[in-house]
Amino acid sequence: MTLTLIPSTQTLKASSAKDALAAVPEEQVWLANFTSSRTKATYANAVREMVGFLGIDSPEQLYDIDQAHVIAWRDQLAAEGASPRTISNRQSAVSSLFAHLCEKQICAKNPVSGVKRPKVASHSVETPALSRAQVRAMLDAPDAETLQGLRDRALMHVYFYTGCRESEPCALRVRDFHQDQGYWVLDFTVKGGKRNRVAVHPECQHALASYIEAMRNEYSASYCRDAWIFQAIFNGKSGRPMTRQRFYQLFKKYAAEADLPEGVVPHSARATFITEALDREHPAEAVQKTVGHASITTTLAYDKRDHHPKNSASFAVRY
């Protein structure tokens, strides 16, 4: 596969900025228009997957695909076990690219248009939420006697006490944990590069403060307010921010140690936080603001109270 959606260094070494821009393929112009690095990566991967499946090795071949090709790719994703939401998101990414190519009059039509997408339940989020006992088991799982354990404990507390998205702790720096109007807060960078300030629970405050103090003592020479809160630790040395992939691995590790089901993922902390806050009769609008949703409808889609297993009618019958 030669279509990479990433311009080569040689391509960008043009004699002028104008020439450099003209040399960048339209696929890259489309991708560069997104502001979120995560969206860029997700959309680029979706196009790469389709290109790889279809055996495309030139932009011209990409421009010539039709609905039949998209349908074959969609059906292959389903056969491989991709969820309806994943397939729909992949189609959206490719459709976005072709909409751009149509706008630039490179393609006559968008081959994704008219291709049916799997039905996705918009009224509810499928990610499983946890019980209070399960959450407590995960919060207590990391070893509080080591710097890495304190770090991981702080991370678990941030997930379950703020309902943040999986990747949002990646961007947290020491300066983002501070007091505002007498409350300890975290300043998250959320979708679209916006900032979302969240006042945090005292237990979460304590977990963060304990870890940051231990980090300050361990790395006094390099510690500063601009230091990453969640740093990777290699051979006793730190400094680099942890990746989203590493967050996922750690979450799964402690979920396994707490003997939780395989399907529990970092997103489960977000679903758990929203359900728990609403169950405690906290205003939905305040929950929406805390988790950084643009629409309250999205927030309410996480509310699992009406579908709680304890309410199953199966428990009411006697034979």
Side-chain angles (χ1 to χ4, degrees):
M1 181 178 65
T2 59
L3 185 65
T4 64
L5 296 180
I6 302 296
S8 66
T9 303
Q10 184 177 7
T11 299
L12 294 179
K13 288 182 178 178
S15 58
S16 67
K18 181 178 180 181
D19 290 339
L21 182 61
V24 176
E26 279 302 326
E27 293 88 344
Q28 185 62 23
V29 175
W30 160 74
L31 197 62
N33 195 35
F34 296 102
T35 58
S36 167
S37 59
R38 184 173 179 181
T39 298
K40 288 181 181 180
T42 300
Y43 275 37
N45 286 335
V47 176
R48 290 190 184 106
E49 286 181 9
M50 184 194 68
V51 165
F53 170 73
L54 296 176
I56 293 173
D57 58 14
S58 71
E60 290 71 27
Q61 288 181 341
L62 175 67
Y63 306 154
D64 286 339
I65 72 171
D66 56 26
Q67 279 190 342
H69 293 100
V70 178
I71 291 172
W73 175 55
R74 178 202 64 189
D75 292 347
Q76 177 62 25
L77 288 172
E80 292 174 350
S83 69
R85 189 178 299 275
T86 295
I87 296 172
S88 181
N89 289 343
R90 295 286 192 279
Q91 288 182 241
S92 293
V94 175
S95 181
S96 174
L97 169 61
F98 277 97
H100 172 84
L101 295 176
C102 289
E103 180 182 345
K104 299 299 180 180
Q105 299 184 1
I106 296 174
C107 291
K109 61 181 180 179
N110 185 339
V112 187
S113 296
V115 175
K116 294 189 179 297
R117 303 182 187 186
K119 292 184 178 180
V120 178
S122 59
H123 62 280
S124 64
V125 172
E126 298 175 0
T127 305
L130 307 184
S131 69
R132 294 166 189 169
Q134 289 174 321
V135 172
R136 175 49 54 192
M138 284 200 65
L139 293 177
D140 294 341
D143 181 5
E145 300 301 318
T146 67
L147 179 61
Q148 183 171 329
L150 286 171
R151 180 200 66 188
D152 297 351
R153 182 177 288 247
L155 177 61
M156 294 303 112
H157 277 76
V158 168
Y159 274 139
F160 283 108
Y161 276 109
T162 70
C164 64
R165 295 177 179 88
E166 178 182 346
S167 62
E168 288 174 356
C170 294
L172 286 174
R173 296 179 184 267
V174 172
R175 65 169 182 263
D176 293 325
F177 179 52
H178 61 94
Q179 282 192 316
D180 180 25
Q181 302 180 58
Y183 292 90
W184 281 95
V185 301
L186 279 171
D187 286 338
F188 288 102
T189 300
V190 298
K191 282 187 175 181
K194 299 178 181 178
R195 300 286 282 177
N196 184 36
R197 178 165 294 179
V198 178
V200 295
H201 189 280
E203 183 178 333
C204 184
Q205 296 173 28
H206 179 72
L208 277 166
S210 297
Y211 161 58
I212 291 174
E213 181 61 25
M215 182 172 61
R216 186 206 305 266
N217 294 334
E218 184 73 17
Y219 306 113
S220 57
S222 60
Y223 175 87
C224 65
R225 285 177 51 77
D226 285 336
W228 304 102
I229 290 183
F230 296 107
Q231 300 184 13
I233 300 173
F234 294 102
N235 298 324
K237 297 181 180 180
S238 188
R240 291 183 295 175
M242 293 170 62
T243 63
R244 174 172 171 261
Q245 290 76 14
R246 184 56 179 153
F247 286 159
Y248 182 89
Q249 292 168 356
L250 286 173
F251 195 95
K252 295 292 287 185
K253 169 189 173 183
Y254 292 118
E257 289 185 9
D259 199 26
L260 301 187
E262 181 66 26
V264 172
V265 293
H267 198 225
S268 298
R270 189 167 172 85
T272 302
F273 175 85
I274 294 173
T275 299
E276 179 70 9
L278 293 173
D279 194 37
R280 299 285 188 175
E281 299 184 355
H282 201 67
E285 293 80 4
V287 179
Q288 173 197 356
K289 174 65 173 63
T290 299
V291 299
H293 280 149
S295 169
I296 196 169
T297 302
T298 306
T299 304
L300 294 176
Y302 283 80
D303 186 4
K304 298 180 179 295
R305 291 175 296 172
D306 289 342
H307 307 287
H308 198 292
K310 70 180 181 182
N311 296 325
S312 171
S314 178
F315 297 127
V317 299
R318 297 289 185 273
Y319 295 114

